[in-house]
Amino acid sequence: DTRYAVFTGDGYFSEDREPTLYVFDVLGISTYATTTSSGAQKFSFQQNDKNKGKLIAKISVQSDCGCKGIANRQSLSPPAVVDIDGDEIADIVYAGDYRGNLYRFDLRKADPSQWKATKIFAAGQLDRQGYPSQPITTAPVVYRLNETGSQYVVMFGTGSDIFQDDLTAGDYRLNTSQQTLYGIYDDLNKDGEQLTPVTRADLLKQTMTVRSGNFKGETRQVVMMSDQHMTPSYKGWYIDLTNAPGERIVQQGKVTGHSAFFTTRVYSGRLGPGIIYAKACSNPVTAGSYGYLLGINPRTGGRLKRSMVNLNKLIDQYDKSKSKDFISGFKLAGVPSQLSYSIVGQTSVTNRSGQFKSGWENLDLKTYIKDKHYDEGHLFLTSNKGEYYVISAIQPNYIRVKKLNSRIVF
């Protein structure tokens, strides 16, 4: 009995007072599969309107927050749903919470009452005022690490701009708590009871620096990413967001090819009391605010294998130089939008939303391009300053970023 379902968290100010995943029947249609005498599968469908909108499962996670005044913020962030075997049936769900915890929800049992949640990572601690220092408010993006689909890296950034105190830290000063981009390894062969939550000490540290330059007449700040070597002793990686004070990630990342992309936001200036409930037509937060586009290797959190050639047609020096100063991102003039994904020339793509399995690569073989063990497509990005960008994946880790003008867009 396979049913069409929607997965959602409980929402802020929920009465649950603990992170909760809800699974609802969305269509009231059940799919049944039977095997014929010849071994072929035969599918049948049954409409049952009584099931439409019915709760299939409610999975709650015991909260250990103890946070000051934010019990009603202990909701689940948007979930990422993963089909590990390609049968179009949800197997695993990943989601974080405002406290900075990351959970795995295992749905591989046929009986929903046996579905269970396990905390696999804790991002931040409490700050000096008793508030979570690294809230997770976006859906993770998941990348498959091996051919069998049993090992994944779950990537997400921390930060929030939902509440007043997310943006200000007393006297309306900008909240500059350190936020981080994480990639957490998860081996699905290990049952939740066998797992010990990963800590920051278990992760490989990558760093980034910002440089300015005049490229063909255009001054642009670009991001250089480190490329520290990943070893089996690490259980993932992390990158502290250090491009500017208060930098945070409040939008879901996306995977295309064998590259992951995230946008950050930097709110600037002295903020007034009308941030959340401003009556003015323009949001005072966005004045002077901006962000960055970051491209990373999802396996290590380090730089891409190829330099991200940005707006000025910089020469890709991958084959010409051993320099590690490859461009891994750049600053936008305005606040970036959500990254949007578009499929290119494939009949079967498993990464439509940047949440499902993303293909694998064997570095000893040259078959991954021919066999299309990766997702190929375009990412689109805009900002509130009227910028338009398209990020293209021609082949794994061969990324190009192009700035579009209004004539091309419209």
Side-chain angles (χ1 to χ4, degrees), residues 190-205:
K190 295 182 179 180
D191 185 80
E193 296 178 356
Q194 300 174 296
L195 292 176
T196 300
V198 175
T199 67
R200 186 178 171 104
D202 299 319
L203 306 178
L204 173 66
K205 180 181 180 180

Side-chain angles (χ1 to χ4, degrees), residues 10 19 40 69 75 109 129 306 363-364:
D10 46 332
S75 68
K109 299 288 187 181
Q129 295 180 327
R306 300 270 180 168
L363 298 180
D364 297 325

Side-chain angles (χ1 to χ4, degrees), residues 108-150:
R108 288 176 286 183
K109 299 288 187 181
D111 183 359
S113 66
Q114 298 183 40
W115 294 349
K116 56 185 178 180
T118 304
K119 183 167 74 171
I120 62 175
F121 178 67
Q125 304 297 322
L126 302 183
D127 63 19
R128 286 179 294 182
Q129 295 180 327
Y131 291 92
S133 60
Q134 291 196 325
I136 304 171
T137 57
T138 68
V141 57
V142 184
Y143 178 85
R144 187 171 64 177
L145 290 171
N146 64 350
E147 180 181 358
T148 60
S150 62

Side-chain angles (χ1 to χ4, degrees), residues 185-362:
Y185 288 177
D186 189 27
D187 186 349
L188 298 182
N189 290 324
K190 295 182 179 180
D191 185 80
E193 296 178 356
Q194 300 174 296
L195 292 176
T196 300
V198 175
T199 67
R200 186 178 171 104
D202 299 319
L203 306 178
L204 173 66
K205 180 181 180 180
Q206 302 284 6
T207 59
M208 56 185 177
T209 57
V210 174
R211 296 184 182 179
S212 298
N214 189 312
F215 302 112
K216 294 196 174 182
E218 181 177 357
T219 299
R220 175 69 61 169
Q221 284 192 322
V222 295
V223 179
M224 308 297 183
M225 199 76 68
S226 67
D227 192 26
Q228 300 298 324
H229 180 63
M230 177 64 71
T231 66
S233 63
Y234 293 111
K235 299 178 181 179
W237 48 263
Y238 74 94
I239 311 166
D240 284 334
L241 304 179
T242 56
N243 294 325
E247 186 177 18
R248 66 198 73 196
I249 293 178
V250 295
Q251 300 281 2
Q252 184 196 23
K254 290 290 187 288
V255 170
T256 183
H258 287 294
S259 304
F261 291 89
F262 290 84
T263 59
T264 72
R265 291 185 176 183
V266 179
Y267 296 115
S268 61
R270 185 179 176 85
L271 306 176
I275 294 173
I276 304 301
Y277 304 105
K279 297 181 179 179
C281 294
S282 61
N283 188 339
V285 175
T286 60
S289 301
Y290 55 94
Y292 287 85
L293 172 68
L294 303 177
I296 59 173
N297 182 340
R299 291 178 175 272
T300 67
R303 64 167 177 82
L304 299 175
K305 294 179 182 177
R306 300 270 180 168
S307 178
M308 185 200 297
V309 176
N310 79 341
L311 318 179
N312 305 284
K313 299 182 179 179
L314 299 179
I315 298 175
D316 184 346
Q317 300 185 18
Y318 181 78
D319 297 319
K320 299 179 180 180
S321 172
K322 299 298 183 180
S323 171
K324 295 184 179 181
D325 291 338
F326 290 1
I327 294 176
S328 297
F330 60 88
K331 179 182 176 182
L332 287 82
V335 177
S337 68
Q338 171 79 43
L339 284 161
S340 299
Y341 187 81
S342 175
I343 301 168
V344 176
Q346 285 183 261
T347 58
S348 178
V349 175
T350 56
N351 189 28
R352 295 182 182 90
S353 64
Q355 299 180 157
F356 285 68
K357 61 185 181 182
S358 302
W360 62 283
E361 62 175 327
N362 185 334

Side-chain angles (χ1 to χ4, degrees), residues 3 5-9 16 20-25 53-60 93 105-107 109-116:
R3 297 157 72 178
V6 61
F7 298 81
T8 183
D16 293 316
T20 303
L21 177 70
Y22 285 91
V23 185
F24 292 98
D25 188 313
K54 185 177 179 180
L55 180 67
I56 297 175
K58 175 184 176 182
I59 312 172
S60 297
V93 175
F105 296 84
D106 195 333
L107 316 182
K109 299 288 187 181
D111 183 359
S113 66
Q114 298 183 40
W115 294 349
K116 56 185 178 180

Side-chain angles (χ1 to χ4, degrees), residues 34-223:
T34 57
T35 303
T36 65
S37 57
S38 62
Q41 277 197 322
K42 183 179 179 180
F43 296 91
S44 60
F45 302 89
Q46 180 178 344
Q47 179 75 44
N48 188 343
D49 290 335
K50 291 183 179 180
N51 286 337
K52 189 182 297 184
K54 185 177 179 180
L55 180 67
I56 297 175
K58 175 184 176 182
I59 312 172
S60 297
V61 181
Q62 184 176 2
S63 174
D64 57 354
C65 180
C67 309
K68 176 182 177 181
I70 65 157
N72 56 2
R73 300 186 195 179
Q74 277 302 288
S75 68
L76 210 64
S77 64
V81 184
V82 182
D83 168 20
I84 65 175
D85 52 11
D87 61 358
E88 299 186 356
I89 296 176
D91 298 300
I92 300 292
V93 175
Y94 293 104
D97 66 13
Y98 193 87
R99 173 67 173 81
N101 299 310
L102 178 67
Y103 304 98
R104 178 218 285 179
F105 296 84
D106 195 333
L107 316 182
R108 288 176 286 183
K109 299 288 187 181
D111 183 359
S113 66
Q114 298 183 40
W115 294 349
K116 56 185 178 180
T118 304
K119 183 167 74 171
I120 62 175
F121 178 67
Q125 304 297 322
L126 302 183
D127 63 19
R128 286 179 294 182
Q129 295 180 327
Y131 291 92
S133 60
Q134 291 196 325
I136 304 171
T137 57
T138 68
V141 57
V142 184
Y143 178 85
R144 187 171 64 177
L145 290 171
N146 64 350
E147 180 181 358
T148 60
S150 62
Q151 296 178 347
Y152 291 83
V153 56
V154 186
M155 297 173 285
F156 59 93
T158 66
S160 175
D161 56 7
I162 298 174
F163 302 99
Q164 178 84 25
D165 48 73
D166 290 329
L167 299 172
T168 59
D171 194 28
Y172 303 115
R173 292 172 297 160
L174 185 67
N175 187 335
T176 57
S177 297
Q178 177 65 64
Q179 304 303 326
T180 305
L181 175 57
Y182 290 100
I184 308 302
Y185 288 177
D186 189 27
D187 186 349
L188 298 182
N189 290 324
K190 295 182 179 180
D191 185 80
E193 296 178 356
Q194 300 174 296
L195 292 176
T196 300
V198 175
T199 67
R200 186 178 171 104
D202 299 319
L203 306 178
L204 173 66
K205 180 181 180 180
Q206 302 284 6
T207 59
M208 56 185 177
T209 57
V210 174
R211 296 184 182 179
S212 298
N214 189 312
F215 302 112
K216 294 196 174 182
E218 181 177 357
T219 299
R220 175 69 61 169
Q221 284 192 322
V222 295
V223 179

